[in-house]
Amino acid sequence: SSELTQDTAVSVALGQTVRITCQGDSLRSYYASWYQQKPGQAPVLVFYGKNNRPSGIPDRFSGSTSGDTASLTITGAQAEDEADYYCNSRDNSESHHYVFGPGTQVTVL
Amino acid sequence: QVQLVQSGTEVKKPGSSVKVSCKASGDTFNNLIFAWVRQAPGQGLEWMGGITPIFGATKYAQQFKGRVTITADKSTSSAFMELSRLRSEDTAVYFCARVMLQGDTDWFDAWGQGTLVTVSS
């Protein structure tokens, strides 16, 4: 099956910009989706596809893809953005299987 | 907006089975595709499998094949995940999610609240 890799942790100063990356061969074929998860809560979809942000997600969240790497950018990070972020894509070795990245812990300083 | 409500906390003995339910509301059941995702304590998200109820089609992650069974019941608008031969490593929060598909893009746009399953002797 496919694998996705992410940085373990990143930190960002309040109001600054942080980019979280997700790398894997499946991203050459399928777009990533991104999930924010706070402790004790279910994940929340924050971005997906080429350029889609769900209703209710602040526009400081944006995404992009280049080659085998997908990125989620938080422009003007807020304290409430401190969370774990997971990427996901369809597995390109098995039809309609999915794979999650290991997650990136984002700390807002 | 679809809402997913899962069954409650479970405590199981090693070697036994657990069945977690996920009741959907807010959309036509046959329009739904479900995924099951688990998260062990302090760990990341792991896709276990999914079901497309209208076709009865299921997919299972290789590491769970033979132990997991995912079903759906249109009469109760519910999906179910049964995991057998439980071991301590199966202690986790289990989530159901609604899967949306569009071309080369898939996403999980609604999640249940999670069900904690503890496996302990």
Side-chain angles (χ1 to χ4, degrees):
Chain A
S1 62
S2 302
E3 285 190 5
L4 298 175
T5 60
Q6 297 181 242
D7 290 334
T8 301
V10 296
S11 61
V12 58
L14 185 68
Q16 296 304 301
T17 297
V18 62
R19 186 171 72 175
I20 306 161
T21 60
C22 173
Q23 187 172 23
D25 283 343
S26 61
L27 299 177
R28 295 185 184 278
S29 304
Y30 304 106
Y31 283 104
S33 55
W34 290 92
Y35 304 87
Q36 176 194 72
Q37 188 182 34
K38 298 180 180 179
Q41 298 184 18
V44 173
L45 177 69
V46 294
F47 201 88
Y48 64 98
K50 187 176 182 180
N51 189 23
N52 299 283
R53 191 184 318 106
S55 172
I57 300 301
D59 61 6
R60 62 179 179 270
F61 290 90
S62 62
S64 63
T65 299
S66 178
D68 69 349
T69 301
S71 301
L72 178 72
T73 300
I74 309 173
T75 304
Q78 301 300 301
E80 60 265 31
D81 300 333
E82 186 162 291
D84 294 327
Y85 290 83
Y86 295 91
C87 60
N88 175 274
S89 82
R90 200 186 299 183
D91 187 328
N92 66 352
S93 60
E94 292 195 73
S95 175
H96 289 287
H97 286 219
Y98 297 94
V99 59
F100 283 94
T104 297
Q105 184 177 65
V106 173
T107 301
V108 180
L109 304 172
Chain B
Q1 176 76 336
V2 68
Q3 291 189 317
L4 304 175
V5 178
Q6 299 180 223
S7 49
T9 298
E10 301 267 10
V11 179
K12 294 293 183 178
K13 299 286 188 187
S16 67
S17 298
V18 68
K19 191 171 185 177
V20 180
S21 67
C22 171
K23 184 173 177 64
S25 62
D27 197 353
T28 303
F29 188 71
N30 277 346
N31 290 344
L32 300 178
I33 300 172
F34 294 92
W36 285 91
V37 176
R38 80 173 185 181
Q39 186 171 39
Q43 302 300 307
L45 303 174
E46 182 177 30
W47 179 79
M48 300 179 68
I51 188 167
T52 305
I54 191 171
F55 301 126
T58 53
K59 298 282 186 180
Y60 300 119
Q62 185 63 40
Q63 61 267 39
F64 297 106
K65 274 185 181 175
R67 283 210 304 143
V68 68
T69 304
I70 296 173
T71 57
D73 180 356
K74 181 181 178 181
S75 68
T76 60
S77 297
S78 296
F80 303 88
M81 186 285 300
E82 184 170 19
L83 188 61
S84 63
R85 303 194 299 279
L86 290 169
R87 39 205 189 226
S88 59
E89 309 90 270
D90 294 318
T91 293
V93 176
Y94 291 77
F95 295 99
C96 64
R98 193 260 295 263
V99 183
M100 297 292 285
L101 311 176
Q102 189 173 65
D104 52 7
T105 304
D106 300 8
W107 63 99
F108 301 174
D109 71 333
W111 292 72
Q113 80 277 19
T115 297
L116 174 62
V117 176
T118 301
V119 182
S120 174
S121 55

